[in-house]
Amino acid sequence: MCPSLSSSLELSWIKSQNRLQLKNHNLMRRGVAESHNQAKLKKKIHFKIKGNNLFLGEGFSLHNKKLGASTCWITIFVAARKKKMNQTRLELCHEPLKVSRFSIVPEKLGDVVILVIRIGILMCLIASISLAVHSAFSKPDRWFPLPEHIRTVQNTSVIESGPTNISHIQFGIAGSANTWHARSNYSNLWWNPNTTRGFVWLDKKPKILHTDMLVPYKISKGWSRFKYVHSASAVRIARIVYESFKLGLPNVRWFVMGDDDTVFFPENIVTVLGKYDHNQLYYIGGNSESVEQDVMHSYNMAFGGGGFAISYALAAQLAKIMDGCLNRYFYFYGSDQRVWACVHEIGVPLTREGGFHQLDIRGNAYGLLAAHPLVPLVSLHHLNQLKPLFPNQTQMHSMNKLINAYHVDPARIVQQSFCYDHKRRWSISISWGYTIQIYTTLLIAADLQMPLQTFRTWRSWSNGPFTFNTRPMSSDPCQQPAIFFLDQVTKVGKSGSITVYKRYESNCKKKDINKVEVKRIRVSALKLDSDYWKKVPRRHCCQILGGGSIKNGSMDIRIRKCRPQETITI
């Protein structure tokens, strides 16, 4: 039923405020009114009653407004006067009304529910469009920010298929602001800014930065909150694995850790790591050369100075437990020992690769590099604590010379070959790119491949034991082999090389014609393919050219693959 009035209402129209004063407000609270002016022109007026005020909205027309159970028109007759106040008579007209599609405020509870649903659908539509636009221009891990300890394992690396190459390796070099300036020269030897990826991690911003420092740096964060017994830097360095993973660089398969005085041989690292599946849990490295160090720390630990490699899959697991693990093992001495303990909590053993060299030795590393094991040379450490690799040169000059040979034939560097001069009863051992030894007696291959002990143990400076067998080096220069050191290296074509080794004059005063007459040895070899290391390795043979003739103090030797039935026999 339409609401009705028993009589017309007297209204006062205050034109300046666009409202009518009611003397009787027993009227519907909202609706559509139809006004008649003096010209009898009908005009629909939206009105609203609040208290004793009737508010008119000129120009609004709401059709089909539901008024209770039925609809009707409300007609307001306005008698326009010339004075400020006008008298108006309001009547109700029982006339059907069309339902409005856009009602502003509904009268029934059902209308309220419908309005809420419409607003909810509109908000959902706007939110969906916003999310679609946002996701198209942002990374997925930024849609909904995660807590720090969870977000660290959300690495965004996209792993490519195919063989491992240098771009798949991220290096984490442990350094400090105080030592980086002096030790950065070692990293400059092997770091290629066009291909090598990674950072040196420092404790604070270095005071001096030079343009010749090729390795970019980052500042370690969050390490000072961990407790420790021996060294705070050990905690910081142990977290480099965590912080490197957290960076989320794309296409990373391996994380290789080392010190700022470690010299890596990147192409050989690629060769070694290429044998393993980075999607599996791998912890790869080497032990200390000194047994006393391995007993003190662990035989199952990769020593950090020589470097170690963590597969992407293992790094993801370590990132989840690293901080808690560091708190549990606060009493350990070194950073590498902490990483080892955390890796073993995951249940992963050490995969040993003999090319990682901690060089926990004192004195001269010559004997070890002259008889390098049959594996690719991956790293050298503690070079500042050892005598220069080449006589009468600084260690930096020595390493420059070794690196130059490495660039010519990376897979062959310091690889040992044997051959014999049966006429002279000579045994010849060649460590390609480094040194040649000539013995005036015939030695079996098992002895030649055993390093001369030119060094002592790391901690006690004793004569052993070591993790490999050694031969004694006589203190009498006349009892030592004739030693030749690399003098020149030349690349021949695309697949060959010639290296020249010059005789090192010892202090032996005795005349020995057989030894004195050789002053220079020239060695030719084809470039060793890195695929050589993917198979079971076999030591290459060497052959004395020209029937063993010595011309102008020079001897020529060729290194080649051993024939199928060939043996290295006295």
Side-chain angles (χ1 to χ4, degrees):
M1 297 294 293
C2 289
S4 61
L5 294 173
S6 59
S7 61
S8 300
L9 294 177
E10 294 294 326
L11 306 174
S12 297
W13 182 12
I14 304 175
K15 187 174 183 180
S16 62
Q17 299 183 18
N18 195 31
R19 71 180 185 179
L20 292 176
Q21 292 287 344
L22 300 182
K23 295 180 179 179
N24 185 347
H25 65 275
N26 186 19
L27 189 63
M28 72 185 78
R29 313 308 287 184
R30 295 180 182 83
V32 177
E34 190 174 274
S35 65
H36 299 261
N37 58 18
Q38 288 181 333
K40 302 298 182 181
L41 296 177
K42 291 184 178 182
K43 183 177 182 181
K44 293 177 182 178
I45 302 173
H46 173 252
F47 72 91
K48 176 181 178 182
I49 297 175
K50 185 175 182 181
N52 287 331
N53 295 331
L54 175 67
F55 294 94
L56 299 178
E58 296 263 350
F60 288 88
S61 178
L62 299 178
H63 297 281
N64 299 334
K65 181 67 181 179
K66 287 187 178 181
L67 303 171
S70 60
T71 60
C72 61
W73 287 106
I74 301 170
T75 303
I76 298 178
F77 296 96
V78 180
R81 295 183 179 180
K82 295 182 180 180
K83 296 181 180 181
K84 293 183 180 179
M85 305 298 294
N86 297 322
Q87 296 296 322
T88 303
R89 184 166 53 86
L90 182 67
E91 295 180 353
L92 286 176
C93 176
H94 297 278
E95 182 178 339
L97 175 70
K98 296 180 181 179
V99 180
S100 173
R101 293 183 180 180
F102 302 101
S103 56
I104 302 301
V105 182
E107 291 296 324
K108 288 187 174 181
L109 179 61
D111 294 331
V112 175
V113 174
I114 293 174
L115 180 62
V116 171
I117 293 175
R118 288 176 178 174
I119 295 174
I121 293 174
L122 180 62
M123 292 178 65
C124 290
L125 180 61
I126 295 173
S128 300
I129 295 174
S130 300
L131 183 60
V133 173
H134 179 70
S135 63
F137 297 98
S138 64
K139 293 183 178 180
D141 60 348
R142 295 185 180 179
W143 293 355
F144 305 101
L146 298 174
E148 178 69 16
H149 70 284
I150 299 177
R151 187 169 65 247
T152 55
V153 299
Q154 304 297 317
N155 194 299
T156 58
S157 293
V158 178
I159 306 301
E160 297 177 343
S161 59
T164 297
N165 59 57
I166 190 62
S167 69
H168 296 132
I169 298 174
Q170 181 178 337
F171 288 91
I173 308 301
S176 70
N178 293 331
T179 63
W180 176 236
H181 173 60
R183 293 187 174 186
S184 62
N185 290 329
Y186 285 112
S187 297
N188 290 346
L189 289 171
W190 58 272
W191 189 276
N192 184 341
N194 296 323
T195 58
T196 317
R197 293 203 298 169
F199 302 91
V200 57
W201 293 84
L202 306 177
D203 52 343
K204 59 184 179 181
K205 185 177 180 179
K207 295 181 180 179
I208 302 176
L209 286 176
H210 294 278
T211 56
D212 58 347
M213 294 182 181
L214 302 180
V215 187
Y217 76 90
K218 283 191 174 296
I219 307 301
S220 299
K221 297 179 181 179
W223 56 277
S224 58
R225 58 190 170 90
F226 294 91
K227 57 183 179 179
Y228 61 91
V229 173
H230 301 286
S231 171
S233 63
V235 177
R236 180 180 67 85
I237 293 171
R239 292 186 85 243
I240 291 178
V241 177
Y242 167 87
E243 292 192 281
S244 296
F245 180 84
K246 180 182 174 182
L247 292 177
L249 298 186
N251 302 324
V252 174
R253 297 183 180 182
W254 297 93
F255 298 89
V256 174
M257 306 294 118
D259 286 353
D260 54 3
D261 61 342
T262 304
V263 174
F264 284 110
F265 297 82
E267 292 190 46
N268 290 341
I269 294 179
V270 172
T271 298
V272 170
L273 298 182
K275 299 187 299 181
Y276 302 99
D277 183 359
H278 57 278
N279 294 308
Q280 302 299 317
L281 305 179
Y282 276 110
Y283 169 53
I284 302 173
N287 297 128
S288 170
E289 292 79 5
S290 295
V291 168
E292 60 190 16
Q293 290 292 97
D294 291 319
V295 170
M296 178 176 293
H297 299 288
S298 175
Y299 277 100
N300 297 318
M301 183 185 84
F303 279 67
F308 59 88
I310 299 288
S311 66
Y312 180 88
L314 179 56
Q317 295 295 322
L318 277 175
K320 298 176 183 179
I321 68 168
M322 179 61 77
D323 285 354
C325 187
L326 292 179
N327 278 325
R328 288 190 289 276
Y329 300 108
F330 67 93
Y331 52 87
F332 278 164
Y333 178 78
S335 59
D336 46 7
Q337 197 174 20
R338 287 171 165 83
V339 174
W340 161 75
C342 297
V343 168
H344 275 261
E345 284 194 0
I346 299 174
V348 178
L350 172 65
T351 299
R352 292 178 177 83
E353 282 287 345
F356 290 89
H357 292 293
Q358 173 77 4
L359 291 186
D360 275 347
I361 55 178
R362 301 287 186 175
N364 196 332
Y366 173 81
L368 177 59
L369 297 181
H372 191 268
L374 197 57
V375 292
L377 176 63
V378 172
S379 67
L380 296 174
H381 184 230
H382 281 156
L383 294 171
N384 279 342
Q385 283 74 40
L386 295 168
K387 291 182 178 180
L389 300 185
F390 290 87
N392 304 321
Q393 296 187 23
T394 65
Q395 192 67 288
M396 191 56 59
H397 287 139
S398 297
M399 289 306 304
N400 265 314
K401 182 174 287 189
L402 190 69
I403 290 292
N404 287 338
Y406 156 77
H407 287 315
V408 172
D409 197 343
R412 193 181 290 280
I413 190 69
V414 300
Q415 294 306 309
Q416 190 182 21
S417 299
F418 310 139
C419 50
Y420 297 101
D421 185 338
H422 290 92
K423 292 182 180 179
R424 299 182 178 92
R425 299 186 63 80
W426 287 356
S427 302
I428 301 175
S429 172
I430 302 173
S431 175
W432 189 92
Y434 180 46
T435 187
I436 295 179
Q437 300 169 354
I438 296 181
Y439 297 85
T440 56
T441 58
L442 295 176
L443 300 178
I444 62 174
D447 287 339
L448 290 174
Q449 60 86 36
M450 193 181 303
L452 291 168
Q453 187 182 324
T454 59
F455 43 81
R456 294 177 179 269
T457 60
W458 175 257
R459 183 171 295 273
S460 62
W461 289 70
S462 62
N463 286 322
F466 302 98
T467 54
F468 47 86
N469 295 322
T470 60
R471 291 182 290 140
M473 181 73 160
S474 175
S475 58
D476 182 1
C478 297
Q479 299 298 319
Q480 297 174 1
I483 297 176
F484 300 75
F485 284 99
L486 177 70
D487 184 49
Q488 299 174 15
V489 56
T490 305
K491 186 176 181 179
V492 179
K494 295 182 179 180
S495 59
S497 66
I498 293 179
T499 49
V500 178
Y501 304 81
K502 187 177 179 180
R503 172 73 181 275
Y504 172 66
E505 297 295 340
S506 67
N507 295 323
C508 180
K509 303 301 181 182
K510 295 180 181 180
K511 292 184 179 180
D512 190 330
I513 298 177
N514 289 334
K515 293 172 64 176
V516 171
E517 61 181 330
V518 180
K519 299 295 184 180
R520 298 169 71 250
I521 300 176
R522 189 171 70 169
V523 178
S524 58
L526 293 176
K527 186 174 182 179
L528 186 62
D529 195 330
S530 60
D531 288 343
Y532 167 80
W533 299 112
K534 296 180 180 179
K535 305 174 184 178
V536 177
R538 182 185 180 185
R539 195 182 305 278
H540 279 194
C541 295
C542 63
Q543 177 182 356
I544 300 174
L545 302 178
S549 63
I550 300 173
K551 297 179 180 180
N552 299 322
S554 295
M555 174 184 286
D556 290 331
I557 298 177
R558 179 164 66 97
I559 297 177
R560 55 170 175 77
K561 291 182 179 180
C562 297
R563 301 182 182 93
Q565 304 301 322
E566 186 176 6
T567 60
I568 306 171
T569 306
I570 296 177

